[in-house]
Amino acid sequence: MLLQKQFYWGALVVLVVVIGGNLQTVVEGSPRRILLDTDVDTDDFFALLYLLKLNRSEFQLEAVTVNANAWTNAGHAVNQIYDLLYMMGRDDVAVGVGGEGGILEDGTILPNVGGYLPLIDQGTTTAGGCRYRQAIPVGSGGRLDIDTNFGIRKAFLPQGSRRYSPLRQRTAQQVMIDKISAGPKITVFVIGAHTNFAVFLMNNPHLKKNVEHIFVMGGGVRSKNPTGCCPKNSTSCVPEQCGDPGNLFTDYTSNPYAEFNIFGDPFAAYQVIHSGIPVTLVPLDATNTIPITQNFYEAFEKSQTTYEAQYSFKSLKMQHDTWFDDQFFTSYFMWDSFTSGVAVSIMQNSHKSSYPENEFAEMEYMNITVITSNEPYGVSDGSNPFFDGHKVPKFNLSKNGVHSGHVQNGLRDPFCVAKNGKGKCKDGYTTEVTGSEAVRVLVATKAKPNKDVASPLNREFFKSFLEVLNSPQLTGRFNFTTQFPFYKEVTYIPNFGNTKLGKPVVFDMDMSAGDFLALLYLLKVPVEVINLKAILVTPTGWANAATIDVIYDLLHMMGRDDIPVGRGDLFAMNQSFSAVEDCKYVKAIPHGCGGLLDSDTLYGLARDLPRSPRRYTAQNSVKYGAPRDTENPELRQPLALEVWESVVKTLDPGSKITILTNGPLTTLASIISLKNNTSSLIKEVYIVGGHISRNENDKGNVFSVPSSNAEFNMFLDPLAAKTVFDSSLNITLIPLGIQHRVSSFPKILKRLRNAKKTTPEALFVRRLLSRLYRLQQLHHSYHHMETFLGELLGAVLLDGDSHLSQSFKLNHMKVFANDIESKNGEILIYQDEGKLVKVLNTVNAKTYYELFAEGLSDSKQSAVLASFEEQKKLWQKPPNQTEPAE
């Protein structure tokens, strides 16, 4: 068994080998160095944990880089990697993610390309579309569940000191360059899309010699998909992806040939396969022969003697419990974990014979390539940015070569859809070829059966996987709760007694930095003035849906675990089909610095908040449309409309609700569209957003779309905005122009520093604002930070202090939503048609800054827990003891 084998070397042998005229030093007896590039899907961290458990004198995992354009979002993924490594006592492993570099029009690759976009769509920023990523579901069963690991991640993994921090986090390219250039030779595992490693190879060809071997999980060569098939005797069933070479279950009607990892960036995969470095491929051909069987599942359930085994099984169980049909045991396979087993077995046996042997898979050499475009070649149809509009193609590609055909552009690309219901596009297909395009690759074709024919575990790797993860050697040290001797889950529910509560308010937020600042202010307004009834999350803007956990933590800090939080639609109106989406609006948000990466981590400060017992979970029940009840359906994350309807039911007779919206109007439009007419119970709506242009040079703030004259909240869902502005709601608009007048970092920070008193929440706000201001001064990716500062104005205005000296004007207006990018979300002012809207016109800026600072510094309704550090200290000592236990 891999873990237990030991090698004892009588002497250290140094071999000097001449390769291509370069001297390469290979040190026999030293550990085999490994770099893992991963998209941090469930099976990916199974592979990671498997590697971490191996004998370190034989295999040394030195680095993990995060592939940021596949199954997870960078901010959530990188912190999960840090926590896994912390649990395993491996804070020595380097971690890289993202980067702000780009690719110029002439094909020049700048340093630190972040890998957020496929190479074909990578420009000079991290904003961009989802040509291939569109195939990955956004919500349940997709990125939301993987980002949170179904809600298990925060409940189980301990939190160490390492975390994402803006401009301090090492990029994927920095880590690759450092580790690969250091020597001796290193082996690279690629178990996600190939963007990171392709960029490295293209920009650092002189370092190829330092890579000993590449192991890839991906592709399908001769594979036939065993899922989506009909029962033998069925007469009405229509087969789906059954028999396809690929596994794109969301995309078989346009591309039945590709596998997710290769499809994530076909051109990048082509570069890796054609790099000249030896490649071993573990494709669907092999992984389709090692599904998670019921016998393996039950054996795993009974064999959880380590923290890493427990975490892995809990994750697998949630995959099983939330699976979309009853075919889990024939549909969920060991992809990346199996690849890790095959790879280390080959590495371990490489000295025994010239033909690579391994314990777990049958192997065969094949001549393959990766298809990156579709025939006919050399035809410019607007689908291929490598060629379209270029006299000289990017990267000097051949004008009539294999990369010059039609490139699939989303799931509904008309070119790819055939009349018979099966797609014809082959982007990402790892196909066998002959001639100059052929690369000789070692391919795993089938999982080997268990040598013990009497064992219920029918695959040899099943046995190894369970033995390795349950071995007492190199085991995890603790989980989140066991690391603290006196851990106790506490829920804080305020007792307002006979206090007469103020006007009922619902806050609709998209979880930008400014929204969290506004939320803190709302929680500080006396409950006699504002009774915050609920928070609705609209995840179609500046943060991904999994960031809802930060809201729970902030509410816990403030002692408000009573406030319900509902998750809104994951897509802008009319932008979803099935579980996937067209990202035509959200593509304007940068994926990296100053965008989703920072919002999802609250600019690196989210982990300073105390940990709430509440969190997103994928728990579900038949009652809400799930195929089955999970183990704890009561922990299910409620949806925004469910929370809205529960709030409406608790209203006092005659009461109506005030809504403050700080993001796209997706959720508010959904409320308006409800058939039960609960929108009639809305007293007024304060909308922070929109831009009223004074002249042709007075642009909005959608900086990533230069032609746009809109403001982000309107642009991100223009149809929702139009729906709201066409309604009968009483609207007060707080547009971009007035926000700009109260967006001075120096002034608001000065008021916070000069406050006579302070509170934990005021200190946290000051830290966040100081960080935003500093980042803006340091790097161009943060030029737009005032956008978030302006978002505080709605919360302060809602407080109703007359000293703001606010004034309003009335305007007739409409919102443009006719699918023209330069016009979408633009507010048009009319003389006497359109919605009559009250628009905030003036405000006393000095008073505004003072009210904000004083409100946060007031000791009333202050934090019950200052930070995660304070929470940790409480869990280190028994109740009623003032000092931590020895």
Side-chain angles (χ1 to χ4, degrees):
M1 196 267 290
L2 287 169
L3 185 76
Q4 296 172 336
K5 291 183 178 179
Q6 301 285 338
F7 288 90
Y8 297 96
W9 303 88
L12 187 68
V13 182
V14 178
L15 301 178
V16 179
V17 185
V18 179
I19 301 177
N22 295 314
L23 285 178
Q24 292 295 304
T25 303
V26 180
V27 183
E28 290 194 358
S30 60
R32 305 291 287 273
R33 303 172 65 232
I34 296 172
L35 183 150
L36 177 69
D37 188 61
T38 169
D39 60 7
V40 204
D41 196 354
T42 306
D43 198 46
D44 289 60
F45 66 74
F46 291 179
L48 170 61
L49 290 169
Y50 186 89
L51 294 174
L52 290 169
K53 294 283 289 186
L54 300 176
N55 189 328
R56 290 181 65 181
S57 67
E58 193 175 351
F59 299 101
Q60 176 74 345
L61 179 66
E62 294 198 359
V64 177
T65 51
V66 174
N67 162 229
N69 64 353
W71 282 88
T72 49
N73 295 295
H76 296 293
V78 70
N79 280 335
Q80 179 163 206
I81 292 293
Y82 280 135
D83 292 346
L84 281 164
L85 292 172
Y86 178 65
M87 179 178 77
M88 299 301 293
R90 290 300 307 275
D91 282 343
D92 60 299
V93 176
V95 178
V97 67
E100 293 300 293
I103 299 178
L104 304 181
E105 282 295 308
D106 63 3
T108 301
I109 302 175
L110 301 177
N112 292 312
V113 172
Y116 298 106
L117 302 167
L119 292 179
I120 194 168
D121 292 322
Q122 178 63 63
T124 56
T125 74
T126 67
C130 54
R131 178 190 297 264
Y132 305 120
R133 201 185 192 196
Q134 189 183 110
I136 297 174
V138 177
S140 299
R143 298 205 305 264
L144 170 58
D145 281 343
I146 305 305
D147 281 344
T148 60
N149 193 23
F150 302 92
I152 302 167
R153 170 188 149 200
K154 286 192 71 176
F156 192 94
L157 291 181
Q159 178 178 307
S161 60
R162 290 206 295 175
R163 66 175 75 183
Y164 166 79
S165 184
L167 301 185
R168 294 182 180 180
Q169 170 65 50
R170 299 184 74 196
T171 69
Q173 293 302 309
Q174 286 171 338
V175 169
M176 284 186 169
I177 291 169
D178 288 352
K179 292 299 178 182
I180 295 174
S181 63
K185 285 195 171 187
I186 196 166
T187 298
V188 176
F189 290 28
V190 183
I191 57 174
H194 289 219
T195 313
N196 286 337
F197 195 49
V199 168
F200 168 82
L201 293 171
M202 295 169 74
N203 235 16
N204 303 277
H206 62 290
L207 291 177
K208 287 182 181 181
K209 65 183 183 297
N210 287 12
V211 180
E212 182 176 9
H213 202 97
I214 305 169
F215 289 96
V216 172
M217 188 282 123
V221 186
R222 302 170 185 168
S223 56
K224 292 184 178 181
N225 197 325
T227 68
C229 301
C230 294
K232 289 182 179 180
N233 299 323
S234 174
T235 57
S236 59
C237 173
V238 177
E240 297 177 333
Q241 64 268 26
C242 181
D244 293 347
N247 70 345
L248 303 181
F249 60 88
T250 58
D251 195 25
Y252 64 90
T253 57
S254 56
N255 186 331
Y257 298 94
E259 176 275 335
F260 273 105
N261 286 351
I262 306 298
F263 185 70
D265 195 339
F267 184 77
Y270 181 96
Q271 298 302 315
V272 172
I273 297 294
H274 286 258
S275 65
I277 301 168
V279 174
T280 294
L281 184 72
V282 182
L284 298 176
D285 307 51
T287 61
N288 283 346
T289 67
I290 186 166
I292 298 290
T293 64
Q294 187 165 352
N295 284 340
F296 171 78
Y297 182 89
E298 291 172 355
F300 198 177
E301 187 171 24
K302 296 173 184 176
S303 182
Q304 302 177 58
T305 59
T306 64
Y307 291 115
E308 54 272 22
Q310 292 167 23
Y311 188 61
S312 298
F313 181 75
K314 285 177 180 290
S315 307
L316 184 63
K317 186 178 189 306
M318 281 302 295
Q319 282 278 13
H320 169 269
D321 291 354
T322 59
W323 200 248
F324 62 94
D325 62 15
D326 59 358
Q327 302 299 313
F328 177 82
F329 294 119
T330 57
S331 302
Y332 193 84
F333 304 92
M334 294 194 97
W335 295 283
D336 306 305
S337 50
F338 180 59
T339 300
S340 67
V342 172
V344 296
S345 184
I346 289 175
M347 294 165 71
Q348 195 171 51
N349 289 295
S350 60
H351 67 287
K352 293 182 179 179
S353 77
S354 58
Y355 189 86
E357 297 179 358
N358 77 93
E359 299 173 61
F360 307 124
E362 297 177 9
M363 312 296 293
E364 181 181 340
Y365 279 105
M366 300 182 190
N367 293 319
I368 69 168
T369 189
V370 177
I371 293 179
T372 63
S373 71
N374 300 276
E375 297 186 61
Y377 298 135
V379 177
S380 179
D381 62 1
S383 70
N384 193 334
F386 286 148
F387 294 85
D388 297 329
H390 293 279
K391 290 183 178 179
V392 178
K394 270 192 176 181
F395 309 125
N396 291 313
L397 299 175
S398 172
K399 288 187 177 181
N400 295 298
V402 295
H403 307 299
S404 66
H406 179 92
V407 178
Q408 183 170 352
N409 191 14
L411 306 190
R412 290 182 167 180
D413 186 339
F415 179 94
C416 302
V417 179
K419 292 181 179 179
N420 63 0
K422 284 288 186 181
K424 64 179 184 179
C425 277
K426 297 184 178 181
D427 307 62
Y429 183 25
T430 47
T431 185
E432 290 184 273
V433 292
T434 58
S436 60
E437 283 296 307
V439 179
R440 189 170 185 257
V441 170
L442 184 63
V443 179
T445 59
K446 186 178 180 180
K448 288 183 178 179
N450 194 335
K451 295 174 185 177
D452 180 3
V453 294
S455 172
L457 304 178
N458 65 350
R459 295 289 181 263
E460 188 69 18
F461 182 66
F462 285 158
K463 180 176 64 174
S464 172
F465 183 79
L466 294 182
E467 288 176 350
V468 170
L469 257 64
N470 284 287
S471 169
Q473 300 174 15
L474 303 175
T475 189
R477 301 172 296 166
F478 38 66
N479 64 23
F480 182 74
T481 61
T482 61
Q483 69 177 312
F484 303 112
F486 301 100
Y487 173 83
K488 183 180 180 181
E489 190 172 282
V490 177
T491 300
Y492 296 109
I493 307 294
N495 181 8
F496 295 127
N498 296 321
T499 303
K500 185 178 180 181
L501 300 178
K503 61 183 175 184
V505 170
V506 169
F507 184 37
D508 180 8
M509 59 189 288
D510 69 352
M511 302 183 291
S512 71
D515 288 4
F516 283 104
L517 296 170
L519 174 57
L520 275 170
Y521 185 83
L522 289 174
L523 292 168
K524 292 292 293 184
V525 176
V527 294
E528 296 88 345
V529 177
I530 288 179
N531 176 17
L532 186 58
K533 301 281 287 184
I535 297 168
L536 307 181
V537 174
T538 300
T540 56
W542 280 92
N544 289 294
T547 307
I548 196 170
D549 282 350
V550 183
I551 298 177
Y552 285 129
D553 289 347
L554 189 146
L555 291 173
H556 190 61
M557 168 185 169
M558 298 301 293
R560 293 304 307 270
D561 290 328
D562 59 306
I563 297 177
V565 181
R567 177 186 64 77
D569 288 344
L570 296 162
F571 314 109
M573 289 185 74
N574 286 1
Q575 292 304 302
S576 68
F577 38 100
S578 184
V580 293
E581 69 162 334
D582 178 354
C583 57
K584 66 186 297 181
Y585 304 124
V586 75
K587 69 181 182 181
I589 304 289
H591 288 276
C593 292
L596 295 168
L597 172 62
D598 279 316
S599 293
D600 286 344
T601 60
L602 198 51
Y603 290 75
L605 295 178
R607 286 158 74 92
D608 288 341
L609 295 171
R611 187 74 66 91
S612 171
R614 294 197 296 170
R615 61 188 178 279
Y616 167 83
T617 78
Q619 300 282 352
N620 213 334
S621 71
V622 174
K623 176 183 176 182
Y624 293 99
R628 67 194 63 83
D629 285 353
T630 56
E631 190 171 7
N632 300 106
E634 72 279 2
L635 298 178
R636 172 184 173 271
Q637 168 62 52
L639 299 179
L641 294 184
E642 294 166 1
V643 168
W644 168 256
E645 292 184 338
S646 70
V647 168
V648 167
K649 290 177 182 177
T650 63
L651 282 178
D652 293 332
S655 292
K656 290 191 174 185
I657 299 169
T658 297
I659 297 179
L660 170 64
T661 70
N662 263 38
L665 301 182
T666 314
T667 303
L668 183 55
S670 296
I671 292 173
I672 292 171
S673 303
L674 287 172
K675 294 180 181 180
N676 58 10
N677 196 32
T678 55
S679 61
S680 63
L681 295 174
I682 299 174
K683 178 182 179 182
E684 55 188 341
V685 177
Y686 287 75
I687 296 176
V688 178
H691 177 55
I692 300 174
S693 179
R694 295 185 296 269
N695 55 63
E696 61 181 16
N697 296 319
D698 184 16
K699 291 284 189 180
N701 66 351
V702 188
F703 56 85
S704 51
V705 183
S707 62
S708 174
N709 195 35
E711 179 272 338
F712 262 111
N713 288 342
M714 302 296 129
F715 178 87
L716 289 168
D717 196 341
L719 185 56
K722 184 178 187 303
T723 300
V724 171
F725 279 81
D726 286 351
S727 74
S728 59
L729 292 178
N730 179 15
I731 296 174
T732 297
L733 187 69
I734 304 167
L736 194 60
I738 191 69
Q739 293 178 47
H740 284 162
R741 296 179 212 171
V742 291
S743 296
S744 169
F745 278 108
K747 290 180 180 178
I748 199 166
L749 284 168
K750 181 180 178 181
R751 294 301 189 281
L752 285 166
R753 293 190 188 102
N754 292 344
K756 295 178 181 179
K757 300 177 291 184
T758 192
T759 60
E761 55 273 20
L763 290 173
F764 183 82
V765 166
R766 199 169 86 187
R767 286 182 66 206
L768 179 55
L769 288 173
S770 296
R771 179 163 292 189
L772 298 180
Y773 186 38
R774 182 173 177 273
L775 291 170
Q776 184 185 54
Q777 295 170 310
L778 289 175
H779 198 281
H780 64 86
S781 294
Y782 295 96
H783 67 89
H784 55 284
M785 292 298 99
E786 276 97 352
T787 294
F788 307 127
L789 194 53
E791 290 183 309
L792 311 179
L793 184 52
V796 178
L797 185 66
L798 198 60
D799 189 2
D801 194 298
S802 60
H803 294 94
L804 276 174
S805 304
Q806 62 266 39
S807 68
F808 301 88
K809 61 181 179 180
L810 296 175
N811 287 119
H812 289 276
M813 59 181 65
K814 294 181 179 180
V815 176
F816 193 94
N818 289 347
D819 215 22
I820 300 173
E821 186 173 71
S822 62
K823 294 288 187 179
N824 273 331
E826 186 176 337
I827 290 179
L828 305 174
I829 302 297
Y830 293 88
Q831 194 69 22
D832 54 6
E833 62 177 292
K835 176 78 172 178
L836 187 62
V837 174
K838 187 167 71 171
V839 181
L840 182 62
N841 188 43
T842 62
V843 69
N844 187 316
K846 181 180 178 182
T847 302
Y848 163 76
Y849 295 131
E850 289 173 351
L851 286 173
F852 182 76
E854 289 171 4
L856 286 165
S857 302
D858 193 329
S859 59
K860 296 178 181 178
Q861 295 178 202
S862 187
V864 297
L865 275 176
S867 65
F868 182 58
E869 286 301 314
E870 180 181 312
Q871 194 175 39
K872 285 164 58 177
K873 290 177 182 177
L874 290 175
W875 291 333
Q876 293 286 1
K877 63 188 180 183
N880 302 319
Q881 181 177 311
T882 57
E883 296 298 327
E886 292 295 328

Tab-separated table of all heavy atoms in Angstrom, residues 140-157:
chain	number	residue	atom	x	y	z
A	140	SER	N	-27.407	25.245	-6.935
A	140	SER	CA	-27.402	23.901	-6.366
A	140	SER	C	-26.734	22.930	-7.329
A	140	SER	O	-27.014	22.921	-8.526
A	140	SER	CB	-28.837	23.445	-6.084
A	140	SER	OG	-29.455	24.307	-5.152
A	141	GLY	N	-25.843	22.098	-6.797
A	141	GLY	CA	-25.101	21.166	-7.623
A	141	GLY	C	-23.992	21.804	-8.417
A	141	GLY	O	-23.288	21.124	-9.172
A	142	GLY	N	-23.824	23.115	-8.253
A	142	GLY	CA	-22.796	23.837	-8.994
A	142	GLY	C	-21.937	24.683	-8.083
A	142	GLY	O	-21.589	24.272	-6.981
A	143	ARG	N	-21.634	25.909	-8.514
A	143	ARG	CA	-20.626	26.710	-7.825
A	143	ARG	C	-21.036	27.097	-6.403
A	143	ARG	O	-20.188	27.168	-5.517
A	143	ARG	CB	-20.284	27.950	-8.650
A	143	ARG	CG	-19.681	27.615	-10.010
A	143	ARG	CD	-18.821	28.729	-10.560
A	143	ARG	NE	-19.472	29.993	-10.657
A	143	ARG	CZ	-20.065	30.479	-11.751
A	143	ARG	NH1	-20.153	29.731	-12.837
A	143	ARG	NH2	-20.593	31.683	-11.765
A	144	LEU	N	-22.316	27.347	-6.167
A	144	LEU	CA	-22.747	27.689	-4.808
A	144	LEU	C	-22.445	26.547	-3.855
A	144	LEU	O	-21.883	26.754	-2.768
A	144	LEU	CB	-24.246	28.018	-4.805
A	144	LEU	CG	-24.909	28.170	-3.427
A	144	LEU	CD1	-24.234	29.249	-2.602
A	144	LEU	CD2	-26.396	28.462	-3.585
A	145	ASP	N	-22.792	25.336	-4.240
A	145	ASP	CA	-22.551	24.191	-3.365
A	145	ASP	C	-21.065	23.864	-3.239
A	145	ASP	O	-20.599	23.448	-2.176
A	145	ASP	CB	-23.313	22.969	-3.885
A	145	ASP	CG	-24.790	23.000	-3.517
A	145	ASP	OD1	-25.151	23.779	-2.614
A	145	ASP	OD2	-25.579	22.257	-4.126
A	146	ILE	N	-20.313	24.048	-4.306
A	146	ILE	CA	-18.886	23.733	-4.239
A	146	ILE	C	-18.130	24.803	-3.454
A	146	ILE	O	-17.222	24.503	-2.676
A	146	ILE	CB	-18.306	23.558	-5.650
A	146	ILE	CG1	-19.106	22.510	-6.433
A	146	ILE	CG2	-16.837	23.157	-5.583
A	146	ILE	CD1	-19.212	21.165	-5.747
A	147	ASP	N	-18.504	26.076	-3.626
A	147	ASP	CA	-17.861	27.156	-2.855
A	147	ASP	C	-17.999	26.940	-1.354
A	147	ASP	O	-17.102	27.264	-0.578
A	147	ASP	CB	-18.493	28.512	-3.215
A	147	ASP	CG	-17.968	29.080	-4.523
A	147	ASP	OD1	-16.916	28.613	-5.008
A	147	ASP	OD2	-18.617	29.999	-5.064
A	148	THR	N	-19.134	26.435	-0.934
A	148	THR	CA	-19.411	26.236	0.491
A	148	THR	C	-19.193	24.792	0.929
A	148	THR	O	-19.331	24.480	2.104
A	148	THR	CB	-20.877	26.593	0.798
A	148	THR	OG1	-21.733	25.737	0.018
A	148	THR	CG2	-21.179	28.053	0.466
A	149	ASN	N	-18.867	23.935	-0.034
A	149	ASN	CA	-18.865	22.491	0.182
A	149	ASN	C	-20.174	22.066	0.862
A	149	ASN	O	-20.176	21.397	1.892
A	149	ASN	CB	-17.649	22.024	0.981
A	149	ASN	CG	-17.485	20.517	0.928
A	149	ASN	OD1	-17.980	19.863	0.004
A	149	ASN	ND2	-16.823	19.950	1.924
A	150	PHE	N	-21.263	22.526	0.265
A	150	PHE	CA	-22.615	22.173	0.708
A	150	PHE	C	-22.935	22.687	2.115
A	150	PHE	O	-23.890	22.256	2.735
A	150	PHE	CB	-22.819	20.652	0.671
A	150	PHE	CG	-22.606	20.039	-0.679
A	150	PHE	CD1	-21.363	19.543	-1.051
A	150	PHE	CD2	-23.641	19.983	-1.590
A	150	PHE	CE1	-21.159	18.989	-2.313
A	150	PHE	CE2	-23.449	19.437	-2.858
A	150	PHE	CZ	-22.200	18.939	-3.214
A	151	GLY	N	-22.126	23.620	2.620
A	151	GLY	CA	-22.318	24.119	3.979
A	151	GLY	C	-21.459	23.408	5.002
A	151	GLY	O	-21.450	23.774	6.186
A	152	ILE	N	-20.699	22.405	4.566
A	152	ILE	CA	-19.873	21.625	5.492
A	152	ILE	C	-18.570	22.340	5.823
A	152	ILE	O	-18.051	22.231	6.933
A	152	ILE	CB	-19.563	20.236	4.888
A	152	ILE	CG1	-20.862	19.496	4.589
A	152	ILE	CG2	-18.679	19.403	5.812
A	152	ILE	CD1	-20.674	18.278	3.711
A	153	ARG	N	-18.062	23.085	4.863
A	153	ARG	CA	-16.739	23.707	5.020
A	153	ARG	C	-16.629	24.528	6.306
A	153	ARG	O	-15.722	24.331	7.112
A	153	ARG	CB	-16.465	24.590	3.793
A	153	ARG	CG	-15.252	25.478	3.894
A	153	ARG	CD	-15.195	26.434	2.707
A	153	ARG	NE	-14.575	27.690	3.079
A	153	ARG	CZ	-14.714	28.818	2.405
A	153	ARG	NH1	-15.473	28.856	1.330
A	153	ARG	NH2	-14.125	29.915	2.817
A	154	LYS	N	-17.556	25.455	6.517
A	154	LYS	CA	-17.462	26.326	7.693
A	154	LYS	C	-17.783	25.593	8.978
A	154	LYS	O	-17.329	25.984	10.056
A	154	LYS	CB	-18.386	27.538	7.530
A	154	LYS	CG	-17.868	28.568	6.545
A	154	LYS	CD	-18.647	29.864	6.629
A	154	LYS	CE	-18.336	30.607	7.910
A	154	LYS	NZ	-18.990	31.917	7.988
A	155	ALA	N	-18.555	24.537	8.889
A	155	ALA	CA	-18.912	23.786	10.091
A	155	ALA	C	-17.788	22.860	10.537
A	155	ALA	O	-17.698	22.531	11.726
A	155	ALA	CB	-20.178	22.974	9.846
A	156	PHE	N	-16.923	22.458	9.610
A	156	PHE	CA	-15.957	21.410	9.929
A	156	PHE	C	-14.503	21.873	9.927
A	156	PHE	O	-13.740	21.532	10.841
A	156	PHE	CB	-16.116	20.250	8.933
A	156	PHE	CG	-15.372	19.006	9.334
A	156	PHE	CD1	-16.004	18.002	10.051
A	156	PHE	CD2	-14.034	18.836	9.020
A	156	PHE	CE1	-15.326	16.857	10.435
A	156	PHE	CE2	-13.335	17.702	9.391
A	156	PHE	CZ	-13.987	16.704	10.107
A	157	LEU	N	-14.098	22.625	8.924
A	157	LEU	CA	-12.672	22.929	8.777
A	157	LEU	C	-12.222	23.988	9.782
A	157	LEU	O	-12.877	25.025	9.942
A	157	LEU	CB	-12.368	23.418	7.367
A	157	LEU	CG	-12.484	22.390	6.244
A	157	LEU	CD1	-12.127	23.037	4.914
A	157	LEU	CD2	-11.598	21.180	6.509
